[in-house]
Amino acid sequence: MTGEGHGTRGILGALPPEHRDRLLGFARTVSLPGGDRIFDEGGAADRFWIIRAGMVVLDVYEPGRGPTVVETLGEGELLGWSWLFEPYRWHLGARTRGVVEAYEFDAHQVRAAIDEDPAFGLAVTRCVAAVAIGRRLRAARTRLLDLYGPPDRKATATGGEVP
């Protein structure tokens, strides 16, 4: 697979073309049914996905309440970054919201390529950190402000507040 015709949103758009093409060389196209539980918090993070179409909700399990949605991912977004960092365990759970088309990657293969090629490794790691982790932290901050901020204030997507 090459990066041509595969869209340049999200992590694929953030990678230089040669590294995007290399990463896509490890991909296989999958279709996940609606309502499918992709992974659970604490499970082995041995794969990851880049969403081509559809939506996935990330959730955290709350005792007595069950899963609580913390973020929704869509086209071009990276699903899963725990595969890149030890102990390779999921920090959240994930479920499809409707049918999802995605590129699926074997984490062991991609980590081996990262170890073999430092330039590829740096590019992928930077993109995961900037595009996925940074976004998730901003989303978590906004959610916390919405949940626990003063009742007369509402958090904005940029992290500021509006009266």
Side-chain angles (χ1 to χ4, degrees):
M1 282 180 206
T2 67
E4 295 175 26
H6 293 289
T8 55
R9 294 184 61 172
I11 193 166
L12 292 178
L15 280 170
E18 67 274 13
H19 298 309
R20 177 177 56 238
D21 290 346
R22 179 148 190 218
L23 182 63
L24 284 170
F26 296 107
R28 74 183 190 101
T29 303
V30 296
S31 180
L32 306 170
D36 189 40
R37 190 79 183 153
I38 303 169
F39 54 81
D40 288 307
E41 197 175 337
D46 58 356
R47 294 175 287 165
F48 66 97
W49 300 261
I50 296 174
I51 301 169
R52 297 176 61 212
M55 298 177 80
V56 173
V57 294
L58 298 177
D59 56 38
V60 61
Y61 182 80
E62 293 184 64
R65 295 184 69 188
T68 299
V69 173
V70 294
E71 188 175 3
T72 302
L73 304 177
E75 181 184 342
E77 294 188 273
L78 176 69
L79 171 58
W81 55 264
S82 300
W83 63 273
L84 188 55
F85 305 103
E86 290 187 42
Y88 310 124
R89 296 274 172 206
W90 298 119
H91 295 274
L92 300 169
R95 179 180 43 80
T96 59
R97 181 177 281 171
V99 175
V100 170
E101 303 295 326
Y103 294 122
E104 182 179 77
F105 300 85
D106 178 289
H108 301 287
Q109 282 185 320
V110 177
R111 283 195 307 261
I114 284 170
D115 290 343
E116 291 169 8
D117 182 349
F120 176 69
L122 182 60
V124 170
T125 303
R126 279 184 173 165
C127 281
V128 169
V131 173
I133 298 173
R135 181 179 188 273
R136 303 267 155 73
L137 289 173
R138 286 188 301 278
R141 179 182 187 278
T142 299
R143 176 118 170 108
L144 287 171
L145 288 171
D146 285 344
L147 290 172
Y148 300 109
D152 60 337
R153 293 179 141 338
K154 182 176 172 86
T156 67
T158 60
E161 292 181 2
V162 291

